[in-house]
Amino acid sequence: MTTSPTNPHSRPEETEHHEIDRLGQDLRRNAAVIPRRPQLDWIRQIRSQFECFRTRMKQHLAWEEERGYLQVVLDRRPTLSGRLENLRTEHLDLCLLLDELSRIAERMTPERLLLVRDFCNRAGDLIGYIEHHESEENDLLEFVFSHDIGTKD
């Protein structure tokens, strides 16, 4: 099964991950090229792009928590509860960072170039943190299921 958002057989979470990844990559790409003198239109565009990403990411994190965050991991491997709790705590930290960047974005103006640069650098870093977090979740799931089905002798 492919994970394309246009594939009618995709699971909703696959489509959601794909969309968040796309939004994050677009934001990262646009934040990586800061104009020497950012104009208000550029600032508004990147602010809007970030707010779309932020909203979608926070909804996704809340959705994961509501579903019983990686409960299948805890059910199969209770000894991994510490690692799972670390990942759950990262959800709180990611939300905090998203909100903090939103406050900085609201203060950006063409005259406040330092804020613009800081926002863009931190947005790129945050996307990297999110990618790492998702990778850790995937690694944990893969570990649990590959060991449970006996592929790791």
Side-chain angles (χ1 to χ4, degrees):
M1 176 181 338
T2 66
T3 60
S4 167
T6 58
N7 180 353
H9 303 296
S10 291
R11 294 190 328 250
E13 60 269 18
E14 291 173 340
T15 302
E16 185 64 16
H17 276 108
H18 178 80
E19 182 62 14
I20 289 171
D21 184 54
R22 185 191 66 75
L23 291 169
Q25 293 310 315
D26 289 348
L27 177 61
R28 175 185 270 155
R29 187 172 33 262
N30 291 334
V33 183
I34 306 167
R36 289 186 73 190
R37 292 191 177 141
Q39 300 300 310
L40 194 52
D41 287 344
W42 183 87
I43 290 171
R44 285 182 182 142
Q45 178 186 1
I46 201 150
R47 184 186 294 142
S48 174
Q49 194 175 26
F50 175 75
E51 285 305 317
C52 183
F53 175 76
R54 174 182 168 258
T55 299
R56 197 71 174 256
M57 190 68 213
K58 287 184 76 170
Q59 288 171 345
H60 174 73
L61 294 171
W63 178 75
E64 282 186 342
E65 294 290 334
E66 289 169 8
R67 290 181 53 218
Y69 181 64
L70 293 179
Q71 187 61 43
V72 66
V73 170
L74 196 55
D75 292 345
R76 291 175 181 254
R77 298 277 189 204
T79 57
L80 295 174
S81 64
R83 191 164 168 202
L84 186 61
E85 191 54 38
N86 289 341
L87 288 170
R88 183 177 282 121
T89 299
E90 283 185 7
H91 281 194
L92 299 172
D93 293 343
L94 290 171
C95 287
L96 194 126
L97 291 171
L98 286 161
D99 291 344
E100 187 175 315
L101 274 177
S102 180
R103 287 188 293 277
I104 292 170
E106 287 303 314
R107 290 177 174 83
M108 292 188 311
T109 64
E111 300 78 30
R112 299 183 83 180
L113 186 57
L114 186 57
L115 280 184
V116 173
R117 286 183 182 149
D118 183 59
F119 169 83
C120 290
N121 289 328
R122 291 175 67 183
D125 288 346
L126 178 59
I127 292 164
Y129 302 154
I130 291 167
E131 289 169 345
H132 182 264
H133 176 84
E134 291 291 324
S135 177
E136 289 288 315
E137 288 176 339
N138 291 336
D139 289 350
L140 192 58
L141 286 165
E142 185 177 323
F143 171 78
V144 167
F145 284 102
S146 67
H147 280 76
D148 278 356
I149 60 174
T151 61
K152 303 286 186 192
D153 290 332

